[in-house]
Amino acid sequence: MKRPVTIISIVLILLIAGFIYYRYFFVFGEGVKAGELNYIVKKGYIFKTNEGRLIQTGIRSGAGQGSISSNEFMFSITDQRIANQLETSGGKLVQLHYKEYIGTLPWRGVSNFVVDSVLSVADNTTALPGSGVIR
């Protein structure tokens, strides 16, 4: 009787651990976003996290026909060094490398997208390297 209970307990623990890993630590996607940095803010009730918004060039259709909205990329930053670098880059064109997670953790931020490096920062009058966009 002890053996089946032990096996079932181990299987349940492994399933729960696998679910937690997949939901909160598995990198679902990663990539690069480029655009004008709108803001960086530190906020939160218990865990103060760095959150930011990037406005990408171009426009896209909204939910309904005839509506237009901006391409906004909301992201979180876990590394304070990167947050400090971006705090001085407001209004500039930046290229950010990010990782996308399925779920959020309170100490990682409120967004599923977590920026892990800054690839480039340029003034609005210059082109971002490799982006093909000149402003």
Side-chain angles (χ1 to χ4, degrees), residues 30-93:
E30 60 183 301
V32 175
K33 295 274 188 176
E36 185 176 330
L37 184 63
N38 192 339
Y39 67 77
I40 298 292
V41 63
K42 190 169 199 156
K43 65 180 179 178
Y45 292 109
I46 296 172
F47 297 101
K48 299 290 185 190
T49 59
N50 294 293
E51 309 297 328
R53 180 188 308 196
L54 187 74
I55 306 297
Q56 297 172 285
T57 57
I59 54 175
R60 66 181 168 100
S61 295
Q65 282 185 319
S67 65
I68 296 177
S69 61
S70 65
N71 289 328
E72 295 180 351
F73 176 60
M74 306 292 285
F75 59 89
S76 299
I77 308 166
T78 56
D79 188 347
Q80 189 60 43
R81 181 184 53 82
I82 294 171
N84 292 341
Q85 180 183 0
L86 289 175
E87 281 177 350
T88 61
S89 302
K92 294 183 180 178
L93 294 175

Side-chain angles (χ1 to χ4, degrees), residues 94-111:
V94 296
Q95 281 185 324
L96 305 174
H97 184 270
Y98 69 91
K99 292 182 179 177
E100 180 181 1
Y101 297 92
I102 305 294
T104 62
L105 292 170
W107 54 86
R108 195 167 58 198
V110 297
S111 174

